[in-house]
Amino acid sequence: MGLACERIEFLLYSNRMRTAISIPEDVFRSAEELAERLGISRSELYSKAVSQLVAKHRDATVTARLNDVYGPGGEDSSLESGTADLQYRSLSRNP
């Protein structure tokens, strides 16, 4: 293996965090089966699952903040009728 490949391998490996978690046995077994079916490592499966959960909650936080601003009792985000009419007409001309 060349020096460049060894360096890349080190950088990829060193960017990982190790952790220990406790999960119910049935969840563990289901995760093992899924990882095998998908052809990925257990670490990759858990990493993807946590990433998706974090993203989902990040999106929910953004949505909640927007709802606070534009929801009932919040800022009025509607267009004036003349502006809305111009926007509608410009959209109907575009294919």
Side-chain angles (χ1 to χ4, degrees), residues 14-74:
S14 64
N15 196 23
R16 305 274 182 181
M17 300 297 300
R18 289 185 155 279
T19 188
I21 60 171
S22 297
I23 58 175
E25 186 175 338
D26 60 328
V27 173
F28 177 80
R29 291 190 192 286
S30 295
E32 288 286 295
E33 291 172 6
L34 180 59
E36 186 175 331
R37 191 169 62 242
L38 296 175
I40 61 176
S41 69
R42 184 186 321 140
S43 292
E44 186 176 352
L45 178 75
Y46 288 125
S47 179
K48 287 181 177 193
V50 170
S51 293
Q52 289 178 6
L53 186 63
V54 168
K56 178 182 173 184
H57 283 272
R58 184 181 309 117
D59 292 346
T61 300
V62 170
T63 300
R65 288 180 181 165
L66 288 171
N67 286 341
D68 287 344
V69 172
Y70 297 110

